[in-house]
Amino acid sequence: MGGHRGAESPLETILLLGPRLALGAVAAADAVAGRAGAEMGRLRRAALRRLVAAVVDQLDLDDLVSRVDVNRVADRVDVNRVADRVDVERVARRVDVDAMVDRADPVALTRQVLDEIDVGRIVRDTGGGLTGEALDAVRLRSARADRLVDAFTDRLLRRNGTVPSSRPQPPDRPPR
């Protein structure tokens, strides 16, 4: 038959005929094996394993995977179940705190603190002079700014609040 070499085994002959015909042949063999007893069952399982392996070897997995709708798969994922399996302590040990501190922008933090204090408004409200109430307001806002900076630093350094802080306590307001 020209340059075509014949199949060397019955399984190769079946595979040359195509996967559907091969599966049909296995189904027919299954029917026969059911009647022929345990030996035929063993032969059937061995033939089926070889057939499935041969079919899988012929699959183009890249093509198969390219047909998968990843968004549809992601919609079926139970995120809470995945999160329950995450070892948070292990993840935390991998965090590079030094890199986080290096990325912190002290200029932006300073601007945020100064915006919170709003010294210009305090000066305008007091008419240029620092009365006792204006001084208390500056102290109170300064204490708030200190707490804001401490909270940011604690978050950045992953402190849980059990470490004593060096932050000053806000001054007690005098009774009016």
Side-chain angles (χ1 to χ4, degrees), residues 85-107:
R85 298 176 71 186
V86 172
D87 183 359
V88 177
E89 290 297 321
R90 184 174 178 210
V91 172
R93 285 191 300 269
R94 296 182 70 183
V95 172
D96 186 358
V97 176
D98 292 330
M100 290 175 58
V101 171
D102 289 342
R103 285 194 311 239
D105 185 2
V107 174

Side-chain angles (χ1 to χ4, degrees), residues 150-165:
D150 281 347
F152 174 79
T153 304
D154 288 346
R155 262 195 319 243
L156 188 65
L157 297 177
R158 296 184 292 145
R159 293 182 189 154
N160 61 5
T162 60
V163 178
S165 170

Side-chain angles (χ1 to χ4, degrees), residues 80-175:
N80 291 324
R81 188 170 175 207
V82 172
D84 288 342
R85 298 176 71 186
V86 172
D87 183 359
V88 177
E89 290 297 321
R90 184 174 178 210
V91 172
R93 285 191 300 269
R94 296 182 70 183
V95 172
D96 186 358
V97 176
D98 292 330
M100 290 175 58
V101 171
D102 289 342
R103 285 194 311 239
D105 185 2
V107 174
L109 180 61
T110 304
R111 283 190 181 124
Q112 182 182 359
V113 169
L114 290 175
D115 288 344
E116 177 71 26
I117 294 173
D118 195 7
V119 174
R121 187 178 61 80
I122 293 172
V123 171
R124 283 190 305 274
D125 289 349
T126 60
L130 288 178
T131 63
E133 287 183 22
L135 189 55
D136 287 344
V138 169
R139 285 184 187 136
L140 182 62
R141 288 180 184 239
S142 295
R144 285 183 190 155
D146 284 345
R147 286 193 300 274
L148 179 68
V149 169
D150 281 347
F152 174 79
T153 304
D154 288 346
R155 262 195 319 243
L156 188 65
L157 297 177
R158 296 184 292 145
R159 293 182 189 154
N160 61 5
T162 60
V163 178
S165 170
S166 62
R167 68 179 130 190
Q169 296 298 321
D172 291 332
R173 297 193 84 161

